[in-house]
């Protein structure tokens, strides 16, 4: 069984930066991702990383501003968020799956394809 524990959320002004971390305990995942959810909205994909080769994918809204990475030794998945905007305000969730799909697969962006989830961490960006 995989357990995920996120940290690093908080309040930041627009244009600022935050770094989210997710410690993975248990089995090594095939892939991990970050999703976010705002009140009244569906959970949306932010970024994903395939564990064995660090192949990444990003949502269009964050591409060029956010960077996902993983530390194999520490089994940590991080999300560096730069140039934050008020519309980035949400609860951010770390997710993991034992599967590693082809790099072009849409499964990486589909939250229903992930098996394990963290508790979420709040990110608030003020204007």
């Amino acid at each position: 069984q995989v357990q995920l524990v996120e940290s690093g959320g908080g309040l930041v002004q627009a244009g600022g930066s935050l770094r989210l971390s997710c410690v993975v305990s248990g089995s090594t995942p095939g892939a991990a991702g970050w999703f976010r959810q705002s009140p009244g909205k569906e959970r949306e994909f932010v970024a994903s990383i395939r564990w064995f080769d660090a192949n990444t994918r990003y949502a269009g809204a964050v591409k060029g501003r956010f960077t996902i990475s993983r530390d194999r030794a520490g089994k940590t998945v991080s999300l560096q968020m730069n140039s934050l905007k008020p519309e980035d305000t949400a609860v951010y969730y770390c997710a993991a799956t034992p599967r590693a799909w082809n790099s072009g697969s849409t499964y990486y962006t589909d939250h229903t394809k992930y098996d394990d989830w963290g508790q979420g961490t709040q990110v608030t960006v003020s204007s």
Side-chain angles (χ1 to χ4, degrees):
Q1 186 166 352
V2 173
Q3 291 185 325
L4 308 172
V5 179
E6 302 115 332
S7 62
L11 172 65
V12 65
Q13 287 190 330
S17 298
L18 280 175
R19 185 177 181 86
L20 306 183
S21 294
C22 173
V23 177
V24 182
S25 59
S27 302
T28 299
W34 287 94
F35 291 78
R36 65 188 182 187
Q37 190 165 19
S38 304
K41 293 188 177 181
E42 291 189 1
R43 191 164 297 192
E44 67 171 348
F45 169 75
V46 175
S48 65
I49 189 164
R50 191 165 58 186
W51 203 264
F52 81 90
D53 65 353
N55 183 273
T56 59
R57 176 174 288 188
Y58 296 92
V62 308
K63 201 167 188 178
R65 300 188 297 123
F66 291 10
T67 302
I68 188 171
S69 60
R70 61 100 175 89
D71 171 12
R72 272 182 165 173
K75 286 174 68 176
T76 301
V77 182
S78 298
L79 185 69
Q80 177 66 41
M81 305 185 294
N82 298 329
S83 302
L84 282 160
K85 304 175 181 180
E87 51 263 44
D88 294 318
T89 295
V91 177
Y92 283 69
Y93 296 92
C94 177
T97 172
R99 295 167 289 277
W101 305 293
N102 293 336
S103 57
S105 174
T106 58
Y107 285 2
Y108 288 107
T109 68
D110 183 350
H111 66 88
T112 67
K113 301 302 183 186
Y114 290 77
D115 301 83
D116 300 290
W117 292 83
Q119 79 284 359
T121 185
Q122 177 70 46
V123 171
T124 303
V125 185
S126 63
S127 57

